[in-house]
């Protein structure tokens, strides 16, 4: 736990995520908040025309329950939606439909952090402020939004960042949200306080944190700011602060409203739900439908001997993970998976950064043939790199590429001997040093041999021939 001047920081997170449903939360408009043109996906419901009625999106409810089951939270027996009243141009009803007293999910644990609740609400429209007027785009209005609240049990910035990343992985694994912070698909608000005693200090909420790096930086900054303020005799006021990226600091936006200000009350337009009567929404049933969760995959890979770093790469990169999964499925037990891991997480990872090829050409079969060629000393690691690059850009199977591009490593003594003889003849002084016992000179000759054969010589074979010839 990081302490600062004897103060203990406490952090609780509130995280929103846009759900990836076909349609919006309470109407049949397409859920496409980033649609090319403003106001393409709107209707009387999501623009709050009088006389319209909301209809709950069952998929959105199911997605939140799936998240709840994954974190082993309690799924509601009973739930209802509430109106959260406030006025702003991006919320045309002058209330947001949210959940207050009966959230879909209560409790649960993620990344070692206890959760308070997960509930469902609707996203707002977006405003665009011009010099003398503002424009409102309703494509995002009514998009299903999940809100997850943690208990105030986090005590440092890094754990907060890790929590956010793990939630992002979970949402992607469940296919419920893309959860990109940069795009606003996931929005992290950090509540931060510091205290020297067992009693919590006054919390400050920091918003508009558009990357995990910023989440970390804002928390670090805010902890220091609060401690210095208290140390110089000021009292912390409960407020909402934003993040100033240029100045790398938080700044005051407004004093925080309390729940009372919102006048929450149950939305009379939406029926109440007895979820316990819906068989498919029971925790046991949902649990059976869950895919392998990020932390389960993590322990499986670690148990296989995959390094922690490579494991995280696979967790975050679906393309690379699919290739690795394919290799694991098709490989027999004796394959050295560490080699497969290395080629995938370094070479293939490098290749897919450029869009000049097609990663599906690097099939698990191709990968396995390549690995067996390496194991038989037919292919050098240089040759393997070239092979992957050709496979990615042009396609072809491993053996075909090796033949066509002359990548096979030469272990043929008859071929290598004259080359080595020539190198030795050209470097008599180095030969003398080697004979005198300077082992480093061996590397020099092997290097020259590799160069002369454009990397195709088998280095062990070269070393053997050099030893024979001197
Ligand atoms: P509010 O009523 O102001 O919304 P809540 O009690 O609902 O406050 O908590 C909102 C978030 O703030 C939660 O994530 C919670 O863990 C966190 N939180 C509450 N009190 C503190 C505190 N003293 N310091 C840090 N975080 C806190
Ligand atoms: Zn609509
Ligand atoms: Mg609250």
């Amino acid at each position: 736990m990081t302490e600062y001047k004897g103060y203990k920081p406490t952090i609780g997170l509130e995280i929103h995520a846009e759900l990836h449903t076909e349609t919006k939360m309470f109407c049949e408009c397409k859920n496409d908040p980033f649609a090319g043109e403003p106001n393409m996906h709107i209707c009387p419901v999501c623009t709050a025309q009088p006389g319209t009625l909301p209809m709950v999106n069952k998929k959105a409810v199911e997605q939140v329950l799936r998240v709840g089951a994954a974190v082993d939270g309690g799924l509601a027996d009973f739930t209802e939606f509430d109106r959260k009243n406030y006025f702003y141009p991006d919320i045309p009803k002058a209330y947001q439909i949210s959940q207050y007293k009966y959230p879909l999910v209560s409790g649960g644990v993620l990344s070692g952090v206890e959760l308070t609740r997960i509930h469902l609400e609707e996203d707002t429209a977006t405003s665009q402020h011009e010099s003398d007027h503002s424009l409102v785009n309703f494509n995002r209005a009514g998009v299903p939004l999940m809100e997850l609240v943690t208990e105030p049990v986090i005590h440092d910035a890094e754990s907060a960042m890790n929590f956010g990343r793990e939630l992002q992985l979970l949402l992607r694994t469940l296919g419920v949200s893309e959860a990109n912070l940069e795009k606003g698909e996931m929005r992290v608000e950090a509540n931060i306080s510091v205290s020297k005693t067992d009693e919590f200090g006054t919390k400050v909420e920091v918003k508009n944190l558009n990357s995990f790096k910023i989440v970390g930086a804002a928390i670090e900054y805010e902890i220091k700011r609060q401690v210095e303020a208290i140390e110089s005799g000021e009292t912390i006021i409960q407020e909402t602060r934003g993040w100033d990226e240029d100045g790398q600091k938080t700044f005051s936006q407004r004093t925080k409203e309390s729940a009372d200000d919102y006048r929450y009350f149950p939305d009379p337009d939406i029926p109440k739900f007895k979820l316990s009567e819906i068989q498919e929404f029971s925790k046991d049933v949902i649990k059976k439908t869950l895919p392998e969760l990020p932390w389960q995959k993590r322990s499986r890979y670690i148990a296989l001997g995959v390094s922690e770093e490579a494991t995280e790469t696979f967790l975050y990169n679906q393309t690379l993970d699919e290739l690795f999964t394919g290799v694991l499925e098709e490989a027999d037990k004796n394959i050295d998976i560490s080699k497969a891991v290395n080629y995938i997480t370094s070479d293939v990872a490098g290749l897919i950064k450029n869009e000049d090829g097609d990663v599906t050409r690097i099939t698990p079969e191709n990968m396995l043939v390549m690995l067996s060629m390496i194991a038989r000393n037919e292919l050098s690691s240089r040759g393997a790199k070239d092979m992957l690059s050709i496979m990615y850009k042009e396609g072809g199977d491993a053996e075909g590429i090796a033949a066509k591009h002359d990548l096979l490593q030469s272990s043929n003594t008859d071929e290598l001997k004259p080359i080595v003889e020539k190198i030795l003849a050209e470097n008599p002084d180095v030969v003398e040093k080697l004979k005198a016992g300077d082992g480093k000179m061996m590397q020099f000759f092997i290097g020259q041999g590799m160069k002369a054969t454009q990397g195709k010589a088998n280095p062990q074979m070269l070393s053997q021939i050099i030893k024979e010839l001197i």
Side-chain angles (χ1 to χ4, degrees):
M1 187 181 306
T2 51
E3 282 213 3
Y4 189 64
K5 291 191 178 166
Y7 288 82
K8 179 171 146 184
T10 296
I11 303 152
L13 300 173
E14 292 169 288
I15 303 183
H16 287 88
E18 282 178 350
L19 301 180
H20 203 54
T21 50
E22 288 291 315
T23 56
K24 290 188 182 180
M25 188 61 227
F26 298 109
C27 62
E28 290 184 331
C29 290
K30 188 165 184 224
N31 175 358
D32 183 11
F34 303 110
E37 295 290 323
N39 297 312
M40 280 177 85
H41 305 299
I42 61 174
C43 75
V45 173
C46 57
T47 53
Q49 306 303 311
T52 55
L53 285 172
M55 210 163 67
V56 173
N57 184 335
K58 189 176 175 185
K59 280 277 175 220
V61 173
E62 189 191 335
Q63 289 188 353
V64 172
L65 293 176
R66 281 166 68 76
V67 177
V71 297
D72 214 8
L75 308 192
D77 291 332
F78 169 84
T79 196
E80 67 182 11
F81 286 88
D82 297 276
R83 292 186 179 180
K84 179 181 181 180
N85 299 280
Y86 67 97
F87 178 77
Y88 201 72
D90 68 12
I91 193 89
K93 295 191 293 292
Y95 60 84
Q96 178 189 31
I97 305 178
S98 181
Q99 295 193 289
Y100 188 56
K101 212 168 167 190
Y102 299 100
L104 282 173
V105 179
S106 302
V109 180
L110 178 71
S111 190
V113 173
E114 281 113 46
L115 310 182
T116 312
R117 57 190 276 152
I118 312 175
H119 69 249
L120 190 51
E121 55 189 38
E122 56 179 338
D123 211 347
T124 60
T126 47
S127 325
Q128 187 181 318
H129 303 292
E130 306 288 327
S131 56
D132 62 347
H133 64 280
S134 291
L135 299 165
V136 184
N137 176 358
F138 288 91
N139 286 334
R140 203 183 71 176
V143 162
L145 198 61
M146 179 195 104
E147 178 173 353
L148 178 150
V149 182
T150 79
E151 290 289 293
V153 292
I154 304 171
H155 299 289
D156 60 90
E158 202 187 328
S159 307
M161 287 155 77
N162 287 341
F163 178 89
R165 289 206 183 90
E166 197 72 346
L167 177 64
Q168 183 183 58
L169 277 180
L170 175 65
L171 297 177
R172 289 180 181 171
T173 302
L174 295 176
V176 306
S177 178
E178 293 304 315
N180 272 318
L181 269 73
E182 290 77 2
K183 288 192 186 170
E185 292 163 328
M186 177 163 157
R187 296 165 220 155
V188 180
E189 288 153 27
N191 297 273
I192 303 151
S193 66
V194 299
S195 171
K196 265 189 165 164
T197 67
D198 284 343
E199 223 166 281
F200 288 153
T202 302
K203 74 170 151 59
V204 165
E205 180 179 313
V206 187
K207 287 188 153 172
N208 303 328
L209 308 172
N210 298 331
S211 72
F212 289 120
K213 204 173 136 226
I214 292 176
V215 170
I219 292 174
E220 298 272 5
Y221 177 86
E222 191 58 25
I223 292 170
K224 291 215 170 81
R225 184 192 72 81
Q226 290 181 19
V227 169
E228 319 255 278
I230 296 169
E231 287 285 286
S232 59
E234 291 170 42
T235 36
I236 302 295
I237 45 164
Q238 188 168 332
E239 62 178 345
T240 300
R241 297 175 74 88
W243 175 248
D244 166 12
E245 178 62 15
D246 291 333
Q248 291 287 301
K249 56 183 196 218
T250 64
F251 63 93
S252 180
Q253 285 183 316
R254 56 187 153 91
T255 51
K256 168 109 177 127
E257 49 289 276
S258 74
D260 289 350
D261 299 328
Y262 290 122
R263 307 278 171 208
Y264 281 98
F265 69 91
D267 192 319
D269 286 344
I270 303 175
K272 318 227 175 256
F273 293 87
K274 289 191 179 145
L275 293 181
S276 53
E277 291 175 5
I278 306 174
Q279 184 56 27
E280 61 187 295
F281 283 172
S282 82
K283 192 162 157 183
D284 290 344
V285 173
I286 291 181
K287 274 207 151 173
K288 286 198 193 92
T289 69
L290 295 178
E292 181 179 42
L293 300 171
W295 47 93
Q296 295 167 337
K297 179 173 278 185
R298 187 179 285 124
S299 17
R300 180 164 62 87
Y301 283 2
I302 297 289
L304 282 172
V306 180
S307 72
E308 274 178 37
E309 200 191 339
T311 297
E312 295 309 309
T313 302
F314 288 132
L315 282 167
Y316 280 96
N317 192 316
Q318 206 186 335
T319 307
L320 299 180
D321 192 49
E322 273 169 19
L323 177 56
F324 182 54
T325 301
V327 168
L328 286 180
E329 272 165 13
E330 300 198 14
D332 55 49
K333 297 275 171 287
N334 338 325
I335 176 200
D336 178 3
I337 65 154
S338 72
K339 274 226 160 62
V341 170
N342 285 343
Y343 280 108
I344 297 171
T345 57
S346 56
D347 296 282
V348 182
L351 288 170
I352 60 174
K353 288 198 184 118
N354 295 319
E355 284 177 2
D356 55 352
D358 179 356
V359 71
T360 63
R361 291 169 176 157
I362 305 177
T363 61
E365 294 87 329
N366 265 333
M367 196 80 200
L368 286 166
V369 173
M370 189 187 92
L371 291 174
S372 66
M373 290 169 83
I374 296 169
R376 289 196 304 266
N377 269 327
E378 291 168 16
L379 193 66
S380 65
S381 53
R382 172 73 257 161
K385 283 175 196 298
D386 291 345
M387 173 175 285
L388 287 172
S389 170
I390 294 163
M391 210 178 269
Y392 179 68
K393 288 178 190 153
E394 298 168 14
D397 64 288
E399 268 154 356
I401 293 172
K404 185 170 163 211
H405 293 266
D406 199 16
L407 297 178
L408 285 182
Q409 178 164 250
S410 180
S411 300
N412 185 330
T413 323
D414 296 342
E415 237 175 74
L416 291 179
K417 214 167 181 177
I419 297 170
V420 174
E421 274 166 350
K422 183 159 172 274
I423 295 168
L424 294 179
E426 280 167 3
N427 298 283
D429 47 332
V430 190
V431 172
E432 284 317 309
K433 282 191 198 155
L434 182 60
K435 279 188 181 158
D438 188 347
K440 283 201 293 284
M441 298 305 126
M442 183 54 107
Q443 281 313 311
F444 167 78
F445 283 125
I446 293 176
Q448 292 295 307
M450 296 303 281
K451 208 168 143 193
T453 57
Q454 276 115 42
K456 289 203 292 285
N458 175 346
Q460 275 113 9
M461 196 57 86
L462 279 176
S463 156
Q464 200 180 315
I465 298 170
I466 295 163
K467 279 186 199 142
E468 277 166 22
L469 290 178
I470 61 169

